[in-house]
Amino acid sequence: MGFSQIIFSWTAIIPVIVLLYYFFRKKYTEQTVSSTLFWSEIMQETRVSPYLKHLQKNALLYLQLLALLLLVLALMNPYIKKSTIVGAQTIFIVDTSATMLAGKEQSTFDAHKQEMLNLMDELNGRPVTLITTGATPKAVLQQETNTSEIKKAIQDLQVTYETAEMNKALDVAQAFVGDTPTSIYVFTDTLDKKQLPMDNDSVKWLVRGATKDLTNIAITRFAATTDGQASLALVQLHNDTNTEQKVTLALNNAEGEELVAESVVVPPNEAITKTFKDLPLAKSMTAIIDAKDDYDIDNQQTVLLQTTTSKIIVDQGLHQLIQKGFQTVSSGVKIVPSLQVADNQDATIITNQSALLEKMDNPVVLFGRDDAEKVDANGTVSTSSDALFAFSELKDVYVSAVYPGFADYETIASVGEEPFIQRSPKGDIVVLADIADTDWPLHPSFPLFLWSTEQQLTESVGSLGIFSPNEQRAVALAQGDWNVYSQEDEFLSSVTKGMLTAPKQPGIYMVRSNNEEKQLIVQLQAQERVIEQGTSFTLGDISDNGKEEVSMTSFVPWLIVIILLLLVSEWEVQRRRGFTN
């Protein structure tokens, strides 16, 4: 504590003068009384409470002296020293991942927002850069000095549910530092000191983490499949606490009806897996636990029931360009000899064996035919508005020969008047040409067609699959205006040029175009289902002539308020005694 106007200390003589006045003023007045009968009783009351009587008699003096002393103190401008933000600029890195919603009475994210607002008083005009985390870090503010704009930007911050990917945000912050002395505040839940770049001597790192006593019980994995007659579900629970937890695990269908419920005991700091068999058929399932922990969002998870597999089998007899193409677009591709292809009933088959169209339960992709002779083809390739061609335009592809088409199959691409690509009623895709008879592999549309084919055949019917929050992904959709809607039928976004941006909150969503509808699921990533112990620390230092920069918080406003209250009290004392006295 200190005084910035010590020169006004001479005013202390004022209360001394008032005190001297009271010392030398006349203490009593002579007055004749008619009787002393009550004198002994009054003296007895005085002896019992002498201090109270003294205070009552001299209340006005004490109030005046206190007011004058506080006035002298105010003139000297007392203040308290407080460390403030150092450096020429300040950078806030704000973690907006889902785990920031963890907290007891207040989430970590809200606590950090309040701390940022409190730091506004220490900026002293320094420019502020505000960076949010995510797959693509965003600079919400850049070198902003307007305090109101900074506060508004902080108040408007929201959790995006994306994984933080803090290294990317740190790189963005480094781009704003240069050679300028900078204080960088990192508002997150936990951060390893090794992640901070310490090669710049002009940066001071101040990491603000979550509290260290947060507890969490999470659904870490949930999967469900069906064979068309019954459903099978697998749920994994993890207990992050040091005590045994008893929870109720329930599985609901898309309509919210409970399919099964079971009380589960989860050992401390361990994971358990529960399997549920012979469940009723459902389009989707939601697993819910009633855990009373500090992180609610990972207590629920939804999946779409899959009836197919992502395993892809490519006939070894096909052209190597087809084999390499599918291996490029999918990691689950196996090359199998022609005689063994039919043994893989649980996979998506890529072959030229026409007989497998009837033998296989799963969809088949046919490149050419082994049961017919090809004929010359003339003309250009034309396509329908099918989802397979959302990214692959075939108009410049040259085809010299094609096989006869299937009579009851839908033709979705033609060469002149001849069918080129067909789709069967059960979803098989047939390319009626040998790759050697086309220049298709020379066009970018070829791998895109293979990717679209893999997407359609390995996803369940009517589903676009699972997305992470705010994930941008190319989707194979038929031509048209596709929009994303919530389960409450609220419009959220549009699919632009085949790119779909998933909503930020986990759940089931619909993608619609006219009368066609597909579902998608948004799920938290695995790292957003784990709560780690919070960390807060400070690293680095910025020297300013060897002195730490401090701010001075003045007591004068509070002293003025107290002086005004004392003046009101003096007025009340004087009123009760009578102004004439």
Side-chain angles (χ1 to χ4, degrees):
M1 181 176 175
F3 299 92
S4 62
Q5 300 292 336
I6 194 68
I7 191 173
F8 286 103
S9 58
W10 66 267
T11 56
I13 194 174
I14 298 176
V16 175
I17 294 173
V18 174
L19 188 62
L20 291 174
Y21 165 75
Y22 271 87
F23 282 157
F24 293 103
R25 72 186 179 96
K26 191 175 182 180
K27 301 295 177 60
Y28 60 89
T29 56
E30 294 181 0
Q31 186 173 352
T32 304
V33 294
S34 59
S35 174
T36 60
L37 294 176
F38 302 104
W39 182 261
S40 59
E41 183 178 350
I42 293 175
M43 292 301 296
Q44 186 176 0
E45 291 180 1
T46 302
R47 293 189 186 96
V48 172
S49 56
Y51 299 107
L52 180 61
K53 291 293 183 180
H54 179 79
L55 181 61
Q56 291 175 344
K57 184 177 181 181
N58 299 285
L60 191 60
L61 168 64
Y62 295 136
L63 289 172
Q64 289 175 345
L65 286 176
L66 183 57
L68 287 173
L69 288 173
L70 292 178
L71 180 60
V72 171
L73 195 62
L75 289 173
M76 297 169 63
N77 191 22
Y79 64 85
I80 185 172
K81 293 182 179 181
K82 184 173 62 173
S83 298
T84 186
I85 298 175
V86 296
Q89 65 171 339
T90 303
I91 297 177
F92 291 155
I93 300 177
V94 184
D95 186 346
T96 59
S97 62
T99 52
M100 297 296 290
L101 293 174
K104 294 187 180 296
E105 298 179 357
Q106 186 183 37
S107 69
T108 302
F109 190 73
D110 289 336
H112 285 171
K113 286 175 64 174
Q114 186 58 52
E115 184 174 354
M116 282 186 280
L117 292 173
N118 294 339
L119 287 171
M120 292 300 98
D121 297 332
E122 302 179 21
L123 288 174
N124 296 328
R126 294 178 180 81
V128 172
T129 298
L130 178 60
I131 301 170
T132 57
T133 63
T136 305
K138 298 179 181 178
V140 179
L141 295 175
Q142 298 184 29
Q143 303 292 316
E144 182 61 58
T145 57
N146 188 321
T147 303
S148 60
E149 290 294 328
I150 299 173
K151 289 184 177 180
K152 183 179 183 302
I154 293 173
Q155 292 168 347
D156 291 342
L157 289 174
Q158 293 182 348
V159 171
T160 62
Y161 298 86
E162 296 182 47
T163 301
E165 299 191 35
M166 187 60 70
N167 288 334
K168 293 183 179 180
L170 295 175
D171 291 340
V172 173
Q174 287 289 90
F176 288 97
V177 174
D179 297 327
T180 306
T182 306
S183 288
I184 301 181
Y185 285 79
V186 183
F187 295 95
T188 183
D189 46 4
T190 182
L191 182 65
D192 191 342
K193 295 181 180 180
K194 297 179 181 178
Q195 289 184 257
L196 297 178
M198 300 300 298
D199 54 344
N200 195 331
D201 295 335
S202 61
V203 175
K204 182 176 183 179
W205 297 93
L206 303 100
V207 177
R208 300 290 186 262
T211 57
K212 298 183 178 181
D213 56 347
L214 297 180
T215 60
N216 183 42
I217 306 167
I219 301 176
T220 51
R221 291 184 181 178
F222 180 36
T225 60
T226 178
D227 58 4
Q229 297 179 352
S231 301
L232 171 69
L234 181 145
V235 185
Q236 184 182 74
L237 306 180
H238 190 275
N239 181 6
D240 287 339
T241 69
N242 295 322
T243 58
E244 184 179 85
Q245 298 291 329
K246 185 177 181 179
V247 300
T248 300
L249 171 62
L251 301 183
N252 298 345
N253 61 16
E255 290 73 31
E257 300 172 349
E258 188 175 278
L259 302 178
V260 65
E262 182 178 324
S263 181
V264 180
V265 176
V266 189
N269 297 307
E270 290 188 19
I272 65 168
T273 301
K274 300 294 295 183
T275 302
F276 300 92
K277 299 179 180 179
D278 299 325
L279 297 175
L281 290 176
K283 294 181 180 179
S284 65
M285 282 190 189
T286 301
I288 304 173
I289 56 174
D290 63 350
K292 295 177 175 59
D293 55 9
D294 299 323
Y295 187 42
D296 296 332
I297 194 171
D298 62 357
N299 295 343
Q300 178 174 321
Q301 188 171 341
T302 302
V303 296
L304 296 173
L305 268 68
Q306 301 288 328
T307 57
T308 59
T309 176
S310 59
K311 183 180 178 183
I312 297 176
I313 298 298
V314 179
D315 193 327
Q316 195 175 35
L318 290 179
H319 198 286
Q320 283 197 354
L321 289 175
I322 298 176
Q323 299 176 18
K324 298 296 183 182
F326 274 104
Q327 287 177 331
T328 302
V329 300
S330 177
S331 59
V333 176
K334 290 185 178 181
I335 310 300
V336 175
S338 299
L339 296 178
Q340 300 177 13
V341 170
D343 298 334
N344 296 273
Q345 286 287 342
D346 60 341
T348 298
I349 303 300
I350 316 296
T351 184
N352 66 341
Q353 303 178 46
S354 303
L356 295 182
L357 292 172
E358 300 297 332
K359 292 181 179 180
M360 306 302 293
D361 295 329
N362 289 336
V364 172
V365 180
L366 211 66
F367 277 89
R369 297 180 61 173
D370 62 353
D371 61 344
E373 295 293 331
K374 54 190 172 185
V375 297
D376 292 339
N378 295 307
T380 59
V381 177
S382 60
T383 60
S384 64
S385 60
D386 192 90
L388 278 177
F389 311 120
F391 303 98
S392 53
E393 295 184 1
L394 310 184
K395 60 183 179 180
D396 295 328
V397 173
Y398 170 75
V399 181
S400 64
V402 294
Y403 291 96
F406 293 88
D408 55 346
Y409 285 15
E410 176 190 4
T411 299
I412 57 178
S414 303
V415 180
E417 300 297 328
E418 300 295 331
F420 176 39
I421 302 176
Q422 291 184 312
R423 189 195 301 275
S424 74
K426 75 169 188 177
D428 302 311
I429 297 173
V430 178
V431 179
L432 297 166
D434 291 328
I435 292 300
D437 295 328
T438 75
D439 65 348
W440 197 5
L442 302 178
H443 296 266
S445 60
F446 182 68
L448 291 173
F449 174 81
L450 299 183
W451 173 82
S452 297
T453 301
E454 184 265 343
Q455 288 287 303
Q456 282 201 9
L457 298 184
T458 58
E459 295 288 355
S460 61
V461 177
S463 168
L464 293 178
I466 298 175
F467 289 71
S468 58
N470 298 308
E471 179 184 355
Q472 287 188 334
R473 185 192 302 176
V475 290
L477 295 171
Q479 294 181 5
D481 296 329
W482 291 86
N483 299 312
V484 182
Y485 294 87
S486 67
Q487 287 189 298
E488 291 75 27
D489 209 31
E490 177 187 0
F491 170 80
L492 299 177
S493 63
S494 298
V495 180
T496 306
K497 296 181 179 180
M499 294 297 297
L500 186 150
T501 302
K504 67 178 183 179
Q505 288 189 311
I508 300 179
Y509 298 88
M510 277 70 67
V511 181
R512 295 181 190 151
S513 176
N514 298 326
N515 296 325
E516 191 174 358
E517 179 177 287
K518 293 180 180 290
Q519 288 184 316
L520 67 91
I521 283 186
V522 177
Q523 283 187 4
L524 288 180
Q525 294 176 288
Q527 51 266 52
E528 296 304 308
R529 297 181 177 277
V530 178
I531 297 295
E532 298 182 9
Q533 189 176 30
T535 53
S536 297
F537 55 87
T538 300
L539 287 179
D541 197 8
I542 303 174
S543 59
D544 185 14
N545 297 327
K547 298 179 181 179
E548 182 183 13
E549 189 171 351
V550 296
S551 64
M552 297 185 299
T553 303
S554 177
F555 292 143
V556 172
W558 296 103
L559 293 175
I560 292 176
V561 172
I562 297 174
I563 290 172
L564 291 176
L565 292 176
L566 290 174
L567 290 177
V568 173
S569 301
E570 289 179 19
W571 180 87
E572 178 63 17
V573 171
Q574 190 69 20
R575 184 188 66 81
R576 292 190 177 188
R577 291 184 178 181
F579 290 104
T580 56
N581 293 332

